Amino acid sequence: MSTTALPPVVDAETWQRELDALRVREKAATRELDAIAAARRRLPMVRMPDYTLEGEEGPVRLADVFDGKSQLIVYNHMWFPGETWQCPGCTGFTSQFTRLEFLDNWDARFVIVTQGPIEEALAYKRRVGNTMTWYSTANSSFGADVGAPPGGGFAVNVFLRDGDTVYRTWHTDGRGTEQLGYTFALIDLLPYGRQEEWQDSPQGWPQSPTYSRWSGSKEIAAAYGEPGA
């Protein structure tokens, strides 16, 4: 017999009634997210200076990071100088994005910008098997100006380009980035959820310290990166 706590067992009619009640709340949350997205589309924006970043092919203006598109999503990846393995949260989060070409149909692009020197950043990209396009702001104040300074945390920023002029339209960090990935969306569907101590779960549900189940950067590299990484 299982020693793990289990949800109560009921007949199909009772289960459907409970699911229908939850669905009302799920629908309300969906409508609220639609309303938030509508408000996001109405946000004002801020004009950005003409930054120069470092890319795989050398210096590149921020306006050219758009690669001809009018919209740009930037993930500001945490970076710790001299470390072989960078932030596991950033490494794991960005490893989700392997097929971004669909954004072409929306005139948009999604890239990574990090404080790490471009050579080190590209080496790390290969080490962990990341498939996104990386840029460095090590020689620019861009990262610091959009909420991701040297030694600081991660962030997501969105920009709009009008000719050679770039505007910042949205920003988030912390748990605000969760909506962009599928990892937690899938895990939150499971009966036991994330199994982290901070979560509101029934008595007896398996729970572990926060982050303890997350894959580390070395594990991600072993699964997706260069052989021998």
Side-chain angles (χ1 to χ4, degrees):
M1 179 178 294
S2 173
T3 58
T4 303
L6 300 171
V9 178
V10 297
D11 58 77
E13 182 179 349
T14 301
W15 177 83
Q16 188 65 55
R17 185 168 59 250
E18 294 283 345
L19 178 64
D20 290 344
L22 180 61
R23 185 60 41 79
V24 172
R25 298 178 63 186
E26 290 175 339
K27 291 286 188 181
T30 298
R31 288 191 290 271
E32 177 61 12
L33 288 173
D34 287 343
I36 290 171
R40 188 182 295 119
R41 291 190 292 273
R42 289 167 172 79
L43 280 174
M45 58 187 183
V46 177
R47 182 169 180 165
M48 303 296 289
D50 189 15
Y51 296 100
T52 297
L53 306 182
E54 298 290 331
E56 191 165 2
E57 303 300 325
V60 56
R61 296 175 60 208
L62 178 60
D64 293 329
V65 173
F66 286 73
D67 196 27
K69 309 297 191 298
S70 68
Q71 302 168 102
L72 177 70
I73 303 169
V74 170
Y75 184 84
N76 296 96
H77 195 296
M78 294 176 68
W79 189 267
F80 302 100
E83 295 293 330
T84 300
W85 302 109
Q86 298 298 328
C87 170
C90 291
T91 303
F93 178 79
T94 57
S95 70
Q96 299 174 79
F97 304 108
T98 59
R99 297 180 180 179
L100 292 170
E101 293 79 11
F102 73 92
L103 287 173
D104 292 348
N105 294 340
W106 279 266
D107 192 25
R109 194 181 190 208
F110 185 15
V111 303
I112 290 176
V113 173
T114 184
Q115 291 286 350
I118 188 61
E119 295 83 3
E120 295 180 22
L122 293 175
Y124 187 71
K125 168 187 173 176
R126 293 189 295 270
R127 188 177 307 131
V128 298
N130 191 287
T131 63
M132 296 178 68
T133 303
W134 286 54
Y135 296 91
S136 168
T137 184
N139 299 314
S140 165
S141 65
F142 173 76
D145 293 346
V146 297
F154 60 93
V156 173
N157 285 279
V158 181
F159 303 92
L160 180 67
R161 182 180 64 85
D162 182 16
D164 285 338
T165 304
V166 176
Y167 301 91
R168 187 186 187 196
T169 64
W170 188 73
H171 165 271
T172 194
D173 53 21
R175 293 191 65 197
T177 63
E178 287 185 8
Q179 63 181 296
L180 305 182
Y182 62 78
T183 302
F184 292 122
L186 290 177
I187 295 172
D188 284 342
L189 294 178
L190 301 174
Y192 294 131
R194 303 187 194 186
Q195 302 179 44
E196 296 191 345
E197 292 172 338
W198 63 270
Q199 285 202 293
D200 180 2
S201 297
Q203 185 69 32
W205 253 228
Q207 290 185 300
S208 305
T210 303
Y211 311 128
S212 61
R213 293 178 181 270
W214 293 24
S215 295
S217 299
K218 292 179 68 174
E219 294 173 287
I220 294 168
Y224 306 110
E226 293 178 330

